[in-house]
Amino acid sequence: CPAEEVDHMPCEDPRRNSQLSREMNFYRERQCPLPAETPLCLIPPPDGYHIPVRWPDSLHKIWHSNMPHNKIADRKGHQGWMKEEGMYFIFPGGGTMFPDGAEQYIEKLSQYIPLTGGVLRTALDMGCGVASFGGYLLNQGILTFSFAPRDSHKSQIQFALERGIPALVAMLGTRRLPFPAFSFDLVHCSRCLIPFTAYNATYFLEVDRLLRPGGYLVISGPPVLWPKQDKEWADLQAVARALCYELKAVDGNTAIWKKPAGDSCLPNQNEFGLELCDESDDSSYAWYFKLKKCVTRISVKDDQVVGMIPNWPDRLTKAPSRATLLKNGIDVFEADTRRWARRVAYYKNSLNLKLGTAAIRNVMDMNAFFGGFAAALTSDPVWVMNVVPPRKPSTLGVIYDRGLIGVYHDWCEPFSTYPRTYDLIHVTSIESIKIGSGKNRCNLVDLMVEMDRILRPEGTVVIRDSPEVIDKIGRIAQAVRWTATIHEKEPESHGREKILVATKN
């Protein structure tokens, strides 16, 4: 591709999206070009690109030349977000609402929320900046999924991923975020500027859909006790009350609520006219699905309620009730867990993948099912973006119940991330994830060019499929300029699989 495409994200292209409606920020959401409109070319790294600083040092500094965008440093330097120092950007750990550093801010929150001991595991940081909050929560064993839109500050999410923190480009606009219901134990907004009570509290209702019963909501900054925002602050409290959230504390400009654990509080008479969603509504369907102005029904099992789920890390290996959505789900879950423990051992010992070393931090599993691959990696210094294609069985809720993170994504479209953001991409049965229909049914070449876009130079791709598919993949890998080798599967496994391991040059 031309050199100016160095940071190109096909579905978040400001030139393309600026023509669209601004109502509810529709123009800042994913808007993908048709495959025919996407040039088939490989995105080059910027001049002077270095292999990224290794985790955990990358939390504190990255190479300036890998993303030479100074706008955030210039605008936010005084708030401790990041600053340029020699050949690096360094990250003091600050944020707009915590200029003294994320650690001090997290310490404040821990007075009101059980941040240690494994009670909380999955967090969502909305409008995350450079994701220092999520980066520093990792010390507590809390895995934070950070998101922000592509905006005038250019590369917040690119910086987060370069630092080795889980992040995605996303906008809370007209559609549900690409997560199942009851995914997060903690939802956090620090100056995220989401108007939670606008459009009849639609955005608060989306947060409520994503937050587990018994989970915590933290909002720092406007409108909490903010000058000239008395009405907005009163409305925010009124919506939370209508949903029976318990206000645990207001500390300065930070408000902390706890969501009720059960359905005891139906949204009865309230000024927002809130009603329960229809019985037939699938609250976990979230791929290009319009936001609903109704309250997600709670009737969930104990293993979805914060405080009743086994603490982390025990929840990783316990089959949750959501697994029973599949026939014989509990047995399938346990077999899948054992199978991936075997496979990952084989990857490390016989295929010499650098899993478990500092060379691999950001990992993607493109067809994650129950998250067995990620579960087998939990003792390694990695995090895994588990992707469940939307027309596959809806297993993403199980992944979150285990204390892992991920998104829905249709692989006939580009992923919402910057180029060069993953060290290792893993996919089982690549043919089965190309699920577009009709004209948009995508082909393997488009898919592998997209994998190349999001893979870091010297990154690794692992593909497991039938010998015929692997043969085809091997030919495309040459065209994409990967160095590929084909291996037999591990001896204990049944089925006709081969494994292709490729490196991007």
Side-chain angles (χ1 to χ4, degrees):
C1 305
E4 64 269 15
E5 299 296 328
V6 59
D7 293 327
H8 183 50
M9 286 188 289
C11 302
E12 281 84 8
D13 183 345
R15 294 163 298 194
R16 178 190 181 83
N17 297 2
S18 59
Q19 320 299 315
L20 301 168
S21 162
R22 298 192 166 238
E23 177 69 14
M24 289 182 83
N25 278 313
F26 174 71
Y27 76 110
R28 290 173 73 186
E29 292 182 291
R30 278 177 68 80
Q31 317 287 346
C32 298
L34 292 170
E37 298 165 24
T38 313
L40 202 59
C41 59
L42 306 179
I43 292 200
D47 281 345
Y49 182 83
H50 292 69
I51 298 307
V53 175
R54 302 297 194 204
W55 179 264
D57 296 343
S58 59
L59 181 63
H60 308 292
K61 67 175 187 182
I62 64 167
W63 293 108
H64 180 271
S65 55
N66 285 9
M67 44 196 70
H69 310 308
N70 284 33
K71 201 181 239 182
I72 300 184
D74 296 345
R75 287 197 186 170
K76 304 282 187 180
H78 63 289
Q79 294 167 351
W81 281 36
M82 56 189 277
K83 54 179 188 261
E84 191 181 345
E85 207 167 84
M87 297 166 70
Y88 298 100
F89 278 123
I90 62 160
F91 299 87
T96 306
M97 292 307 299
F98 41 93
D100 298 332
E103 288 173 300
Q104 201 172 338
Y105 174 74
I106 289 166
E107 183 68 30
K108 175 171 92 167
L109 296 183
S110 69
Q111 298 169 47
Y112 313 106
I113 302 177
L115 291 181
T116 53
V119 179
L120 304 185
R121 168 62 181 171
T122 53
L124 181 67
D125 190 14
M126 313 174 82
C128 62
V130 293
S132 288
F133 178 71
Y136 284 94
L137 265 185
L138 286 165
N139 292 338
Q140 320 289 350
I142 295 176
L143 188 59
T144 305
F145 200 131
S146 300
F147 79 86
R150 181 186 179 122
D151 66 3
S152 61
H153 295 327
K154 190 130 174 120
S155 317
Q156 301 173 68
I157 294 303
Q158 196 176 13
F159 284 117
L161 286 158
E162 184 79 1
R163 296 174 74 188
I165 305 169
L168 183 79
V169 175
M171 178 77 203
L172 187 49
T174 66
R175 304 189 281 247
R176 283 178 174 174
L177 291 166
F179 311 115
F182 315 131
S183 294
F184 297 100
D185 307 336
L186 167 69
V187 174
H188 175 257
C189 150
S190 163
R191 197 85 180 255
C192 65
L193 304 181
I194 292 170
F196 290 106
T197 56
Y199 313 105
N200 229 16
T202 296
Y203 293 141
F204 198 107
L205 295 179
E206 173 64 353
V207 168
D208 179 68
R209 180 183 78 85
L210 296 176
L211 187 59
R212 287 181 183 276
Y216 294 86
L217 169 63
V218 177
I219 299 180
S220 277
V224 180
L225 293 179
W226 207 259
K228 302 190 180 137
Q229 295 213 11
D230 298 351
K231 183 186 184 305
E232 290 83 349
W233 172 223
D235 284 351
L236 184 61
Q237 294 176 86
V239 175
R241 269 198 309 276
L243 295 175
C244 290
Y245 278 48
E246 178 194 352
L247 183 59
K248 301 290 283 184
V250 179
D251 185 332
N253 299 114
T254 300
I256 298 163
W257 287 271
K258 186 172 188 196
K259 178 173 172 171
D263 245 340
S264 55
C265 163
L266 302 184
N268 30 31
Q269 290 305 309
N270 59 75
E271 63 211 84
F272 298 93
L274 301 178
E275 292 176 0
L276 279 176
C277 294
D278 205 82
E279 291 274 6
S280 62
D281 177 54
D282 180 354
S283 57
S284 284
Y285 192 77
W287 181 247
Y288 286 106
F289 192 88
K290 273 205 165 348
L291 286 172
K292 290 206 159 186
K293 293 186 177 158
C294 59
V295 181
T296 302
R297 291 171 180 269
I298 289 191
S299 52
V300 293
K301 309 279 197 303
D302 284 353
D303 64 12
Q304 283 154 273
V305 178
V306 172
M308 291 157 121
I309 321 172
N311 284 1
W312 175 261
D314 296 342
R315 66 193 267 188
L316 182 70
T317 46
K318 184 181 180 301
S321 58
R322 287 201 251 204
T324 58
L325 294 171
L326 260 64
K327 192 174 171 210
N328 304 328
I330 303 294
D331 294 343
V332 173
F333 176 93
E334 287 169 354
D336 187 68
T337 302
R338 288 193 299 273
R339 181 183 307 124
W340 279 109
R342 274 202 314 271
R343 287 177 171 180
V344 166
Y346 178 72
Y347 287 175
K348 290 177 175 177
N349 302 333
S350 301
L351 304 189
N352 299 323
L353 294 186
K354 295 176 188 162
L355 286 163
T357 74
I360 295 178
R361 169 67 184 163
N362 301 355
V363 177
M364 176 181 283
D365 190 1
M366 292 172 62
N367 189 14
F369 188 48
F370 279 153
F373 174 64
L377 294 173
T378 46
S379 55
D380 292 347
V382 301
W383 62 271
V384 182
M385 178 73 82
N386 292 287
V387 181
V388 174
R391 290 188 186 81
K392 292 262 184 177
S394 182
T395 51
L396 193 52
V398 173
I399 288 170
Y400 275 94
D401 291 345
R402 299 183 82 166
L404 305 168
I405 56 171
V407 288
Y408 296 116
H409 180 73
D410 179 341
W411 284 110
C412 284
E413 296 185 4
F415 195 75
S416 286
T417 193
Y418 283 87
R420 302 173 300 284
T421 41
Y422 285 86
D423 300 309
L424 182 136
I425 299 178
H426 178 270
V427 55
T428 310
S429 57
I430 193 167
E431 272 287 11
S432 76
I433 64 173
K434 309 194 323 296
I435 48 180
S437 52
K439 278 208 304 275
N440 290 341
R441 177 148 176 100
C442 46
N443 66 48
L444 280 172
V445 177
D446 290 329
L447 183 55
M448 287 172 66
V449 166
E450 170 61 7
M451 289 162 74
D452 184 80
R453 183 183 76 84
I454 63 185
L455 189 66
R456 288 173 169 173
E458 293 191 9
T460 305
V461 176
V462 181
I463 301 174
R464 303 180 66 103
D465 215 311
S466 68
E468 297 77 14
V469 172
I470 289 295
D471 199 43
K472 200 171 6 172
I473 295 285
R475 292 199 296 278
I476 302 169
Q478 276 184 311
V480 184
R481 305 182 192 175
W482 295 348
T483 306
T485 49
I486 293 173
H487 304 266
E488 296 301 320
K489 62 186 188 319
E490 53 285 336
E492 307 88 352
S493 90
H494 309 299
R496 305 174 51 247
E497 283 183 318
K498 290 209 164 180
I499 303 170
L500 176 132
V501 178
T503 307
K504 175 174 172 174
N505 299 317

